Amino acid sequence: CFWHLQHEFIGAERALLQRDDAALTALTGYAGGRKMGDKGRVCYQNYYNTADYGKLGHGEVVGLRLPPDRIADFTQVYFDLYSKETGERVDPGDRGAEYRALLGLPGGASHPAYLAVEAVARAAGKKLVAGRGSDPDTFEKGIVYVYDTARFPFRQGEVYHQFHDDFQSPAYGKAYNDLADMALEDGRLKITECPDRV
């Protein structure tokens, strides 16, 4: 669930990069699909069936802006979130291509941090594979797709999905949830043209 991942990456931004609330960059969104809806939209599943991210081949992701020399550190944070017992994602309900393991780097495998990211993945028992777009689920396959963000850019998710409590943990608290309003007010978070709470 991208809600949990966002929360953990927010914690990592604070701990590893000493970012304050106004400098946090982790936002939920979608990436890895070959298609987009009308007006370039990619949206969460909705009553209107508007630009459904899963039907368009995208997966749930968290976008971050990181110094290149810290990408491997955040890759480690990501792999530390996998189940220690199974080596798979923690939420058993997250099945299907929408929940595949994926990461994006400018240039994909040609990014300068790629070898460091690959070493972290290998230590976690995972193999990096070039994403082709709209790829299938990675559950129990031991792989993580790597996408070139120039070809498969991050599409920010709806305001509703930002700084949201997840289903696997106790509530994160009002101060955390209120980060969505702060990011919306200062422009880090944009209103999408998808069905949303705003």
Side-chain angles (χ1 to χ4, degrees), residues 1-13 26-29 59-64 74-82 89-91 94 98-103 161-169 172 176:
C1 175
F2 56 2
W3 295 338
H4 179 65
L5 291 176
Q6 181 185 34
H7 179 264
E8 298 306 304
F9 281 133
I10 289 292
E13 285 191 272
L27 296 174
T28 61
E60 292 186 4
V61 299
V62 174
L64 293 153
F74 279 76
T75 303
Q76 185 66 59
V77 170
Y78 172 71
F79 284 115
D80 285 347
L81 298 175
Y82 278 68
R89 52 188 176 249
V90 175
D91 188 339
D94 286 352
E98 298 97 319
Y99 305 106
R100 65 189 181 269
L102 63 112
L103 65 89
H161 291 294
Q162 309 299 332
F163 307 96
H164 197 291
D165 295 330
D166 74 52
F167 299 123
Q168 301 297 312
S169 310
Y172 298 137
Y176 176 79

Side-chain angles (χ1 to χ4, degrees), residues 147-163:
Y147 294 94
D148 179 350
T149 56
R151 290 187 58 214
F152 301 100
F154 172 75
R155 306 287 177 184
Q156 181 213 291
E158 298 83 346
V159 173
Y160 172 82
H161 291 294
Q162 309 299 332
F163 307 96

Side-chain angles (χ1 to χ4, degrees), residues 2 6 24-32 36 39-44 50-51 53 58-65 152-163 179-181 183-198:
F2 56 2
Q6 181 185 34
L24 297 170
T25 65
L27 296 174
T28 61
Y30 316 102
M36 290 182 292
K39 303 179 187 176
R41 292 186 289 185
V42 178
C43 306
Y44 197 76
T50 301
Y53 79 104
H58 294 267
E60 292 186 4
V61 299
V62 174
L64 293 153
R65 295 196 177 277
F152 301 100
F154 172 75
R155 306 287 177 184
Q156 181 213 291
E158 298 83 346
V159 173
Y160 172 82
H161 291 294
Q162 309 299 332
F163 307 96
L179 291 172
D181 292 331
L184 192 58
E185 288 169 11
D186 68 23
R188 284 174 292 141
L189 179 59
K190 309 294 184 201
I191 295 174
T192 68
E193 291 191 44
C194 296
D196 204 347
R197 71 171 173 91
V198 292

